[in-house]
C-alpha cells in the first residue's frame, strides 16, 4: 500500500520561501529606484502645469516671514518660493522642480534654487543652470513696500 505524505520541502518551509521571494522583490524595487531615480517617473512629462492667479502679500513683520529679513533667507507660500538674494534683492519662483515636482530650496551661498532630489539648479530668475530638469521655473514679480514692510508677489 502506498501512502501519500505531504512534501517535506513545502511543509517544512512555506515562510522562508515567501520571505525569500518578497526580499527579492524589494531588492529589485530598490535597485530600480537607484538606477532610474526620478527619471522613470513623471519627470519625463515635459508638460508644465503653471500656478494660476498668484497675487498675495507677505508682511515681513510676521514671525512666519522672518527668514526674508536676512540675505539668503527664504519662505514658501502658495506654491511659490520667495528668497532674499545675497545682494538683498527679493526673488520669487514656482517652488516645485520642473523635472519631478520636488520642493526646491534656496542655496544662499550660490544664489541658486536647488532640487535636493536629483540636484537640478536654477538661477534667481528660474532659468536652468544644470539638470536633469530641462524646463525653467515660473518667475513672479515682487513689489516691495518698505514703508508698509510688505512684499506683494504676483504673476
Ligand atoms: S525632481 Fe529630479 S531634479 Fe528635481
Amino acid at each position: 500500500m502506498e501512502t501519500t505524505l505531504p512534501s517535506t520541502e513545502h511543509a517544512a518551509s512555506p515562510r522562508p520561501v515567501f520571505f525569500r521571494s518578497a526580499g527579492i522583490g524589494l531588492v529589485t524595487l530598490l535597485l530600480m529606484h537607484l538606477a532610474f531615480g526620478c527619471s522613470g517617473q513623471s519627470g519625463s512629462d515635459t508638460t508644465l502645469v503653471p500656478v494660476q492667479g498668484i497675487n498675495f502679500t507677505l508682511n515681513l513683520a510676521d514671525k512666519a516671514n522672518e527668514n526674508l529679513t536676512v540675505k539668503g533667507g527664504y519662505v514658501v507660500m502658495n506654491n511659490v518660493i520667495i528668497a532674499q538674494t545675497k545682494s538683498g534683492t527679493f526673488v520669487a519662483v514656482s517652488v516645485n522642480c520642473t523635472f519631478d515636482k520636488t520642493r526646491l530650496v534656496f542655496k544662499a551661498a550660490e544664489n541658486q534654487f536647488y532640487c535636493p532630489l536629483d540636484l537640478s539648479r536654477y538661477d534667481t530668475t528660474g532659468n536652468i543652470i544644470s539638470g536633469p530638469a530641462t524646463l525653467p521655473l515660473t518667475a513672479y514679480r515682487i513689489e516691495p513696500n518698505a514703508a508698509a514692510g510688505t512684499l506683494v508677489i504676483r504673476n
Side-chain angles (χ1 to χ4, degrees):
M1 182 171 154
E2 190 175 298
T3 305
T4 305
L5 295 173
S7 164
T8 55
E9 180 184 323
H10 292 103
S13 60
R15 286 188 179 171
V17 169
F18 169 76
F19 287 122
R20 196 168 39 234
S21 297
I24 289 169
L26 289 174
V27 168
T28 302
L29 284 174
L30 178 62
L31 289 175
M32 287 178 66
H33 178 76
L34 291 174
F36 298 110
C38 64
S39 65
Q41 301 171 8
S42 59
S44 58
D45 179 4
T46 56
T47 305
L48 267 187
V49 179
V51 179
Q52 299 291 326
I54 292 296
N55 187 356
F56 61 93
T57 302
L58 294 179
N59 186 336
L60 296 178
D62 287 352
K63 178 86 174 150
N65 301 325
E66 70 180 356
N67 284 351
L68 285 174
T69 62
V70 295
K71 292 178 180 174
Y74 71 94
V75 299
V76 174
M77 181 171 283
N78 300 332
N79 292 319
V80 177
I81 181 169
I82 305 103
Q84 184 180 165
T85 66
K86 288 190 293 189
S87 63
T89 303
F90 291 102
V91 293
V93 296
S94 49
V95 72
N96 293 321
C97 180
T98 58
F99 192 70
D100 206 17
K101 301 174 180 57
T102 299
R103 181 179 272 214
L104 302 171
V105 298
F106 184 68
K107 292 272 195 180
E110 292 100 20
N111 237 15
Q112 297 174 355
F113 295 100
Y114 170 75
C115 177
L117 182 59
D118 298 303
L119 317 181
S120 287
R121 292 173 177 270
Y122 304 85
D123 68 17
T124 55
T125 63
N127 289 318
I128 295 170
I129 294 170
S130 63
T134 58
L135 297 171
L137 302 169
T138 300
Y140 298 99
R141 291 185 293 149
I142 292 203
E143 299 163 7
N145 184 328
T150 60
L151 300 175
V152 175
I153 296 94
R154 65 178 66 175
N155 50 358

